[in-house]
Amino acid sequence: MELDPTTDLSFTRTLAVPRQLIWECWTMPQHIPHFFVPAPHKVTAVEIDLRAGGRFNTSFEVDGTTMDNKGVYLEVVPGEKLVFTDTYTEGWKPAADPFMTAILLLSDTPDGGTTYTAIARHRTAETRKAHEDMGFFDGWGTVVTQLETYAAGLMR
Protein backbone atom coordinates (compact mmCIF):
# COMPACT_ATOMS: atom_id res chain seq x y z
CA MET A 1 0.00 0.00 0.00
CA GLU A 2 1.41 3.35 -1.00
CA LEU A 3 1.20 6.06 1.63
CA ASP A 4 1.09 9.79 1.00
CA PRO A 5 3.11 11.55 3.74
CA THR A 6 1.19 14.78 3.15
CA THR A 7 -2.19 13.25 4.04
CA ASP A 8 -1.53 9.90 5.76
CA LEU A 9 -0.38 9.01 9.27
CA SER A 10 0.71 5.48 10.13
CA PHE A 11 2.63 3.25 12.48
CA THR A 12 3.40 -0.44 12.81
CA ARG A 13 3.80 -2.44 16.01
CA THR A 14 4.42 -6.07 16.82
CA LEU A 15 1.92 -7.46 19.32
CA ALA A 16 2.47 -10.57 21.43
CA VAL A 17 -1.07 -11.79 20.77
CA PRO A 18 -2.34 -13.98 17.89
CA ARG A 19 -3.78 -12.17 14.90
CA GLN A 20 -7.14 -13.92 15.11
CA LEU A 21 -7.65 -12.62 18.65
CA ILE A 22 -6.76 -9.05 17.61
CA TRP A 23 -9.28 -9.41 14.77
CA GLU A 24 -11.95 -10.63 17.19
CA CYS A 25 -11.33 -7.66 19.48
CA TRP A 26 -11.76 -5.21 16.60
CA THR A 27 -14.88 -6.86 15.16
CA MET A 28 -17.02 -7.88 18.14
CA PRO A 29 -18.84 -5.04 19.93
CA GLN A 30 -18.33 -6.41 23.42
CA HIS A 31 -14.55 -5.99 23.10
CA ILE A 32 -14.36 -2.42 21.73
CA PRO A 33 -15.01 -0.65 25.08
CA HIS A 34 -11.91 -2.28 26.56
CA PHE A 35 -9.39 -0.57 24.26
CA PHE A 36 -10.88 1.79 21.65
CA VAL A 37 -10.17 5.12 23.39
CA PRO A 38 -7.24 6.02 25.64
CA ALA A 39 -8.05 5.59 29.35
CA PRO A 40 -9.48 7.24 31.36
CA HIS A 41 -11.96 8.03 28.55
CA LYS A 42 -14.72 5.46 28.08
CA VAL A 43 -16.64 3.89 25.22
CA THR A 44 -20.33 4.03 26.11
CA ALA A 45 -21.91 2.39 23.03
CA VAL A 46 -20.85 0.32 20.01
CA GLU A 47 -22.75 -0.84 16.93
CA ILE A 48 -21.04 -3.10 14.40
CA ASP A 49 -22.42 -4.49 11.14
CA LEU A 50 -19.25 -6.13 9.83
CA ARG A 51 -19.54 -5.83 6.05
CA ALA A 52 -18.70 -3.25 3.40
CA GLY A 53 -21.36 -0.59 3.85
CA GLY A 54 -22.17 -1.80 7.36
CA ARG A 55 -22.13 0.55 10.32
CA PHE A 56 -19.28 1.08 12.75
CA ASN A 57 -20.74 3.48 15.28
CA THR A 58 -19.23 4.35 18.63
CA SER A 59 -20.03 6.75 21.42
CA PHE A 60 -17.48 7.70 23.99
CA GLU A 61 -17.11 9.98 26.94
CA VAL A 62 -14.18 12.37 27.07
CA ASP A 63 -13.88 14.62 30.11
CA GLY A 64 -17.62 14.38 30.79
CA THR A 65 -18.64 15.09 27.18
CA THR A 66 -20.28 12.39 25.05
CA MET A 67 -18.98 12.14 21.51
CA ASP A 68 -20.78 10.15 18.83
CA ASN A 69 -18.82 8.80 15.90
CA LYS A 70 -20.85 7.28 13.09
CA GLY A 71 -19.20 5.54 10.19
CA VAL A 72 -19.14 2.61 7.82
CA TYR A 73 -16.82 -0.16 6.81
CA LEU A 74 -15.44 0.24 3.32
CA GLU A 75 -13.53 -3.05 3.19
CA VAL A 76 -13.47 -6.14 5.38
CA VAL A 77 -10.94 -8.90 4.69
CA PRO A 78 -11.46 -11.39 7.54
CA GLY A 79 -8.45 -11.65 9.81
CA GLU A 80 -6.36 -9.29 7.69
CA LYS A 81 -7.81 -5.88 6.93
CA LEU A 82 -10.43 -3.44 8.19
CA VAL A 83 -11.12 -0.15 6.45
CA PHE A 84 -13.65 2.22 7.99
CA THR A 85 -14.49 5.87 7.62
CA ASP A 86 -16.56 8.65 9.08
CA THR A 87 -16.98 10.15 5.59
CA TYR A 88 -20.25 8.23 5.30
CA THR A 89 -22.81 6.78 7.64
CA GLU A 90 -24.85 3.64 7.06
CA GLY A 91 -26.70 3.67 3.75
CA TRP A 92 -23.84 5.68 2.20
CA LYS A 93 -25.18 8.94 3.58
CA PRO A 94 -22.42 11.59 3.37
CA ALA A 95 -21.27 12.94 6.72
CA ALA A 96 -21.44 16.67 7.28
CA ASP A 97 -17.86 17.01 8.53
CA PRO A 98 -15.75 13.93 7.69
CA PHE A 99 -12.37 13.55 9.33
CA MET A 100 -10.57 10.42 8.15
CA THR A 101 -10.49 6.88 6.86
CA ALA A 102 -8.80 4.26 9.03
CA ILE A 103 -7.04 1.19 7.69
CA LEU A 104 -5.95 -1.64 9.99
CA LEU A 105 -3.65 -4.30 8.57
CA LEU A 106 -2.92 -7.51 10.48
CA SER A 107 -0.44 -10.27 9.70
CA ASP A 108 1.18 -13.12 11.59
CA THR A 109 4.65 -12.90 13.09
CA PRO A 110 6.85 -16.03 13.11
CA ASP A 111 6.41 -16.39 16.89
CA GLY A 112 2.60 -16.39 16.80
CA GLY A 113 2.08 -12.68 17.40
CA THR A 114 0.66 -10.01 15.15
CA THR A 115 2.15 -7.30 13.00
CA TYR A 116 -0.32 -4.44 13.46
CA THR A 117 -0.33 -1.48 11.09
CA ALA A 118 -2.68 1.45 11.60
CA ILE A 119 -3.14 4.08 8.89
CA ALA A 120 -5.21 7.24 9.11
CA ARG A 121 -5.94 8.85 5.74
CA HIS A 122 -7.08 12.46 5.61
CA ARG A 123 -8.56 14.62 2.88
CA THR A 124 -6.04 17.42 3.27
CA ALA A 125 -2.57 18.07 4.61
CA GLU A 126 -4.13 20.46 7.12
CA THR A 127 -6.43 17.78 8.52
CA ARG A 128 -3.52 15.34 8.73
CA LYS A 129 -1.45 17.93 10.61
CA ALA A 130 -4.33 18.67 12.97
CA HIS A 131 -4.68 14.95 13.74
CA GLU A 132 -0.95 14.62 14.37
CA ASP A 133 -1.00 17.70 16.62
CA MET A 134 -4.01 16.24 18.46
CA GLY A 135 -1.78 13.36 19.48
CA PHE A 136 -2.28 10.70 16.81
CA PHE A 137 0.87 8.75 17.69
CA ASP A 138 0.38 8.90 21.47
CA GLY A 139 -3.38 8.31 21.29
CA TRP A 140 -3.38 5.50 18.76
CA GLY A 141 -0.27 4.07 20.42
CA THR A 142 -2.10 3.99 23.76
CA VAL A 143 -5.08 2.31 22.11
CA VAL A 144 -2.93 -0.47 20.61
CA THR A 145 -1.18 -0.99 23.96
CA GLN A 146 -4.59 -1.27 25.65
CA LEU A 147 -5.71 -3.66 22.89
CA GLU A 148 -2.66 -5.89 23.37
CA THR A 149 -3.11 -5.97 27.16
CA TYR A 150 -6.82 -6.69 26.91
CA ALA A 151 -6.39 -9.39 24.24
CA ALA A 152 -3.59 -11.05 26.22
CA GLY A 153 -5.99 -11.28 29.17
CA LEU A 154 -8.47 -13.15 26.98
CA MET A 155 -5.84 -15.82 26.30
CA ARG A 156 -5.72 -16.91 29.94
Side-chain angles (χ1 to χ4, degrees), residues 4-11 26 36-38 60 67 69 84-86 97-104 118-143:
D4 180 345
T6 62
T7 55
D8 297 340
L9 294 167
S10 71
F11 71 90
W26 264 105
F36 189 67
V37 295
F60 40 97
M67 303 173 77
N69 187 35
F84 55 92
T85 187
D86 65 353
D97 191 21
F99 185 63
M100 68 163 200
T101 297
I103 302 168
L104 299 175
I119 301 164
R121 292 202 144 151
H122 304 84
R123 301 180 121 190
T124 66
E126 294 77 24
T127 308
R128 178 215 175 273
K129 175 84 168 94
H131 196 182
E132 184 174 17
D133 292 348
M134 242 190 271
F136 168 81
F137 293 104
D138 287 343
W140 283 45
T142 297
V143 165

Side-chain angles (χ1 to χ4, degrees), residues 56-135:
F56 181 49
N57 298 338
T58 57
S59 296
F60 40 97
E61 188 179 296
V62 176
D63 300 328
T65 302
T66 298
M67 303 173 77
D68 292 319
N69 187 35
K70 295 185 184 286
V72 296
Y73 292 103
L74 299 174
E75 185 176 5
V76 177
V77 179
E80 297 176 17
K81 184 178 186 182
L82 278 178
V83 181
F84 55 92
T85 187
D86 65 353
T87 300
Y88 298 97
T89 60
E90 193 172 23
W92 302 114
K93 294 179 184 172
D97 191 21
F99 185 63
M100 68 163 200
T101 297
I103 302 168
L104 299 175
L105 304 172
L106 308 175
S107 61
D108 293 328
T109 62
D111 62 353
T114 304
T115 299
Y116 179 100
T117 299
I119 301 164
R121 292 202 144 151
H122 304 84
R123 301 180 121 190
T124 66
E126 294 77 24
T127 308
R128 178 215 175 273
K129 175 84 168 94
H131 196 182
E132 184 174 17
D133 292 348
M134 242 190 271

Side-chain angles (χ1 to χ4, degrees), residues 10-48:
S10 71
F11 71 90
T12 299
R13 292 241 317 251
T14 300
L15 309 181
V17 178
R19 175 172 51 107
Q20 197 53 44
L21 191 52
I22 297 298
W23 177 261
E24 181 180 311
C25 288
W26 264 105
T27 59
M28 298 182 72
Q30 68 268 27
H31 297 302
I32 298 287
H34 298 278
F35 70 89
F36 189 67
V37 295
H41 310 306
K42 295 185 252 181
V43 173
T44 57
V46 179
E47 294 180 286
I48 289 178

